[in-house]
């Protein structure tokens, strides 16, 4: 009975120490750069063309023409 209490205490210690060490790491910061060379702007700026995903990327991120 005493050994199981010690094992339970060790397991709890390991679990909580892993949780604390995981919280101390800074969040990862990434930049995703998408370039489309030779793609005329009217293909993705004009709503008549079906480029909804590209327009959504422009709306949610930063872009240049």
């Amino acid at each position: 009975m005493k050994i199981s209490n010690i094992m339970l205490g060790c397991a709890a210690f390991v679990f909580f120490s892993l949780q604390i060490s995981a919280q101390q790491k800074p969040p990862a910061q990434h930049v995703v750069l998408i370039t489309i060379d030779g793609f005329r702007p009217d293909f993705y700026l004009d709503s008549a063309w079906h480029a909804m995903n590209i327009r959504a990327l422009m709306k949610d991120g930063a872009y240049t023409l």
Side-chain angles (χ1 to χ4, degrees), residues 1-21:
M1 184 112 170
K2 192 173 190 178
I3 294 176
S4 64
N5 288 341
I6 292 172
M7 289 177 59
L8 181 63
C10 289
F13 174 75
V14 169
F15 175 76
F16 287 114
S17 65
L18 289 175
Q19 292 294 323
I20 291 171
S21 68

Side-chain angles (χ1 to χ4, degrees), residues 13-52:
F13 174 75
V14 169
F15 175 76
F16 287 114
S17 65
L18 289 175
Q19 292 294 323
I20 291 171
S21 68
Q23 292 175 359
Q24 291 176 349
K25 295 178 184 175
Q29 296 180 358
H30 301 281
V31 174
V32 177
L33 177 65
I34 300 172
T35 63
I36 303 173
D37 295 332
F39 200 49
R40 289 186 6 209
D42 53 325
F43 285 140
Y44 53 89
L45 295 177
D46 187 6
S47 60
W49 293 93
H50 300 288
M52 294 158 281

